[in-house]
């Protein structure tokens, strides 16, 4: 069985979807009689999409954010899988025709291209992976509200009408897809995560700032893009609230990893607070070592699918705080070290309470088995085989 994992834009973006594609393709290639590759359009297309997004959102998007990961490292992590960049739609169609099944991202852009340019009839059956939430809970910006409208109306259903099956990442999205596409098979499969492999990276790749994090301070970690989705404004609120306790402020350090359009909020926070350590955008291979040096992890996202950023801290047993959104609920409900907080005040209060412990008293929690790679990869492979055999 030959499987094509398709997304329009660069695999070097380095986000959760890209991580999923790389790890799943690499693992599937280890299965007998199975081969998987990643197909995208070329860098010119990615750059044009970035520029178009800048116009649409009325915010300048830096092209470098589309290439946070190193291409050579991406190809290495794919193992036996290959990464092809099509120069145009004709070449893309030719690539996809060489496989038995196509797994595609669920965004409007991918569904539009497959529907009107590539055309579903010209390619193998398509499984649509729901890595972008259909609904952004608590949407406040015009963009987020527009997203919620577009992804739950007849236009989206029309664009995706020819996909064979749908892969949902959490229970909330599973129910939404069943409502929107009642005649299609919906598979709920969580993201796989290999804690042992991730922990190995902490030994193999040492971040340049790791040593200075190993003093007697309690390190509170944030990892992610600086966007509305990731709740950077809420992260800053939590930092301000926790740091209002002068005694506690001397005991803790905020370790911030990431970059994005709202970077000024983090820059301002690091100016106001001497205990905010901004490490910038950290390459994926170095991030495990940063987690290992920390004791607490916070996720302030407004919406997610099934985020790796809530799986990664489990590899080192970090106490983790997040908001009760789809994905976070699915993950932290099975992790003893997870706490869901209704708002920024509650999160700050929980962090202050936990930080009454000394660094030595903070336990390392056992990772949940929910994303056990052996079980998850078997489910993924069974899903793809079922679709091919139809």
């Amino acid at each position: 069985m030959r499987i094509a994992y398709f997304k329009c834009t660069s695999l070097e973006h380095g986000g959760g979807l890209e991580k999923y594609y790389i790890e799943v393709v690499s693992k599937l290639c280890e299965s007998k009689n199975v081969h998987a590759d990643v197909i995208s359009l070329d860098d010119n297309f990615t750059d044009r999409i970035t520029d178009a997004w800048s116009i649409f959102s009325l915010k300048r998007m830096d092209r470098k954010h589309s290439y946070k990961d190193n291409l050579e490292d991406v190809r290495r992590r794919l193992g036996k899988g290959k990464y092809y960049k099509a120069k145009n739609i004709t070449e893309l169609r030719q690539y996809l025709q060489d496989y038995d099944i196509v797994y595609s991202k669920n965004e409007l852009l991918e569904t539009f291209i497959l529907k009107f340019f590539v055309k579903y009839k010209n390619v193998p059956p398509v499984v649509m992976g729901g890595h972008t939430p259909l609904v952004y809970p608590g949407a406040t910006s015009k963009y987020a509200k527009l997203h919620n409208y577009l992804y739950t109306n007849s236009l989206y259903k029309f664009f995706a009408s020819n996909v064979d099956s749908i892969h949902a990442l959490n229970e909330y999205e599973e129910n939404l897809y069943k409502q929107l596409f009642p005649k299609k098979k919906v598979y709920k499969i969580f993201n796989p995560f290999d804690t042992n492999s991730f922990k190995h990276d902490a030994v193999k790749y040492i971040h340049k700032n790791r040593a200075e994090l190993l003093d007697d301070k309690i390190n509170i970690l944030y990892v992610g893009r600086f966007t509305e989705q990731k709740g950077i404004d809420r992260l800053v609120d939590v930092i301000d609230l926790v740091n209002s306790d002068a005694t506690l402020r001397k005991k803790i350090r905020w370790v911030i990893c990431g970059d994005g359009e709202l970077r000024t909020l983090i820059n301002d926070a690091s100016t106001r607070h001497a205990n905010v350590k901004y490490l910038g955008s950290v390459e994926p291979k170095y991030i495990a070592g940063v987690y290992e040096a920390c004791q607490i992890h916070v996720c302030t996202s407004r919406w997610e699918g099934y985020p790796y950023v809530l799986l990664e801290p489990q590899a080192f047993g970090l106490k983790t705080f997040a908001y009760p959104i789809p994905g976070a609920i699915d993950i932290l409900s099975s992790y003893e070290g997870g706490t869901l907080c209704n708002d920024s005040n509650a999160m700050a209060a929980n962090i202050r309470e936990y930080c009454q412990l000394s660094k030595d008293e903070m336990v390392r929690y056992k990772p949940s088995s929910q994303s056990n790679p052996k079980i998850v990869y078997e489910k993924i492979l069974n899903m793809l085989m079922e679709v091919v055999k139809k």
Side-chain angles (χ1 to χ4, degrees), residues 111-284:
T111 57
F112 179 79
I113 288 175
L114 288 174
K115 180 82 172 181
F116 296 104
F117 292 96
V118 173
K119 298 185 179 179
Y120 289 99
K121 66 180 181 180
N122 295 323
V123 296
V126 175
V127 174
M128 185 172 71
H131 296 269
T132 294
L134 295 178
V135 173
Y136 293 166
T140 55
S141 70
K142 290 181 180 179
Y143 155 70
K145 291 178 180 178
L146 177 61
H147 171 97
N148 289 353
Y149 171 74
L150 290 176
Y151 279 81
T152 54
N153 72 9
S154 57
L155 180 67
Y156 182 68
K157 289 191 285 185
F158 175 63
F159 285 2
S161 60
N162 297 105
V163 303
D164 183 278
S165 304
I166 299 167
H167 168 207
L169 274 67
N170 60 59
E171 184 176 354
Y172 179 79
E173 291 283 314
E174 178 189 22
N175 293 330
L176 277 180
Y177 278 114
K178 286 180 176 179
Q179 293 172 24
L180 287 172
F181 303 96
K183 295 183 179 181
K184 296 190 184 297
K185 178 71 177 286
V186 179
Y187 299 83
K188 183 186 75 175
I189 305 174
F190 298 141
N191 283 351
F193 185 69
D194 189 335
T195 56
N196 290 330
S197 176
F198 190 69
K199 289 172 73 173
H200 179 69
D201 280 352
V203 177
K204 189 174 181 181
Y205 303 104
I206 306 299
H207 189 272
K208 61 183 180 181
N209 293 102
R210 185 177 180 277
E212 63 185 282
L213 303 179
L214 300 179
D215 56 14
D216 59 350
K217 288 195 173 184
I218 296 169
N219 293 311
I220 306 174
L221 177 65
Y222 169 87
V223 177
R225 300 190 307 277
F226 299 165
T227 62
E228 176 195 8
Q229 175 199 350
K230 301 300 182 179
I232 286 299
D233 55 324
R234 302 202 292 188
L235 172 65
V236 172
D237 287 343
V238 171
I239 291 173
D240 289 341
L241 287 166
V242 174
N243 275 357
S244 65
D245 183 328
T247 302
L248 185 58
R249 186 168 63 240
K250 298 175 182 178
K251 185 180 179 181
I252 64 175
R253 178 192 292 113
W254 298 89
V255 182
I256 314 297
C257 302
D259 203 352
E261 64 209 55
L262 301 180
R263 185 171 61 244
T264 55
L265 294 180
I266 296 301
N267 290 339
D268 291 345
S270 63
T271 300
R272 291 197 311 276
H273 302 293
N275 67 343
V276 173
K277 179 70 175 179
Y278 176 38
L279 300 185
S281 183
V282 178
E283 276 191 66

